């Protein structure tokens, strides 16, 4: 896209420009600051459409994301697609015995921890097509666990749309049908 002052940066360019690493590489809590870019209204305006655009032709009926960043991005994506959103909770707590959930545990994540993930059963139905959304995938553990929740429900997994693909294993990328806006090598 062009304007009077030269090319207009697209979402990818804006994300790369807003990205920063926090801490020192030797710090045990050295991490990426993806949400720092969300302060920019242009990024927020484009992020849902861009994540949805990674799966043109898939026609998801629901978007799924984990607390908390996956929920924020998932809602933006679902709104763009005109579909509903299903939040996956970390360490879910039932409101009552009759509160039915699908639950699973992740493989070790990037911090070598296992997380318990849950989804209220009424949020997915057999016949749904589910698009998973998150900000970053490092090991694929949470996305893989979410795919298990989708399979438990009888719904169909469309794939995973993420801002940053940090996966090392191509097999995990293929299994999840993962597509991203940025690869970690670009940061």
């Amino acid at each position: 896209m062009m304007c009077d002052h030269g090319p207009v940066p697209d979402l990818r360019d804006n994300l790369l420009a807003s990205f920063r690493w926090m801490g020192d590489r030797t710090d045990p809590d050295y991490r990426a600051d993806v949400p720092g870019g969300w302060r920019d209204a242009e990024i927020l305006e484009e992020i849902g459409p861009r994540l949805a655009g990674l799966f043109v032709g898939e026609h998801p009926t629901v978007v799924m994301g984990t607390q908390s960043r996956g929920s924020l991005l998932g809602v933006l994506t679902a709104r763009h697609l005109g579909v509903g959103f299903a939040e996956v909770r970390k360490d879910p707590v039932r409101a009552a015995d009759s509160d039915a959930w699908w639950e699973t545990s992740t493989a070790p994540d990037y911090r070598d921890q296992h997380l318990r993930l849950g989804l209220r059963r009424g949020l997915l139905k057999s016949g749904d097509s589910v698009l998973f959304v998150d900000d970053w995938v490092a090991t694929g553990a949470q996305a893989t666990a979410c795919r298990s929740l989708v399979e438990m429900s009888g719904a169909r997994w469309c794939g995973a749309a993420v801002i940053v693909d940090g996966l090392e294993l191509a097999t995990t990328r293929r299994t999840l049908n993962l597509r991203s806006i940025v690869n970690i090598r670009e940061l």
Side-chain angles (χ1 to χ4, degrees):
M1 183 185 302
M2 294 287 288
C3 71
D4 295 338
H5 306 289
V8 174
D10 75 347
L11 173 66
R12 193 173 169 290
D13 294 334
N14 287 338
L15 284 169
L16 289 170
S18 70
F19 181 82
R20 67 185 181 113
W21 290 101
M22 296 175 59
D24 296 322
R25 285 195 181 271
T26 57
D27 291 344
D29 200 25
Y30 179 68
R31 65 187 182 281
D33 181 27
V34 175
W38 300 345
R39 174 63 176 86
D40 184 326
E42 289 179 25
I43 289 176
L44 280 182
E45 175 129 2
E46 291 298 320
I47 209 149
R50 179 61 74 91
L51 288 169
L54 295 172
F55 283 87
V56 170
E58 287 290 330
H59 309 291
T61 58
V62 65
V63 173
M64 164 193 271
T66 55
Q67 285 178 292
S68 62
R69 293 180 188 168
S71 292
L72 171 70
L73 297 171
V75 167
L76 293 171
T77 306
R79 183 176 185 274
H80 173 75
L81 290 169
V83 300
F85 176 75
E87 182 181 55
V88 176
R89 299 274 177 104
K90 296 175 184 178
D91 297 321
V93 177
R94 296 172 188 261
D97 288 342
S98 61
D99 190 14
W101 290 69
W102 285 295
E103 294 183 33
T104 190
S105 291
T106 67
D109 66 8
Y110 67 99
R111 291 183 177 163
D112 201 29
Q113 296 177 345
H114 296 269
L115 297 175
R116 189 93 185 126
L117 300 180
L119 176 74
R120 280 202 164 88
R121 288 190 180 209
L123 296 178
L124 291 185
K125 296 171 181 47
S126 177
D128 274 331
S129 295
V130 182
L131 177 62
F132 175 82
V133 173
D134 209 348
D135 65 331
W136 188 294
V137 172
T139 65
Q142 288 186 49
T144 299
C146 287
R147 183 176 180 156
S148 294
L149 294 170
V150 169
E151 291 168 356
M152 287 177 202
S153 75
R156 181 180 74 85
W157 179 266
C158 290
V162 299
I163 294 175
V164 180
D165 174 354
L167 286 172
E168 293 181 11
L169 298 176
T171 54
T172 305
R173 189 175 294 106
R174 283 191 299 273
T175 299
L176 293 172
N177 190 20
L178 184 123
R179 301 174 194 172
S180 66
I181 298 171
V182 176
N183 188 287
I184 193 169
R185 292 183 305 270
E186 300 172 276
L187 302 177

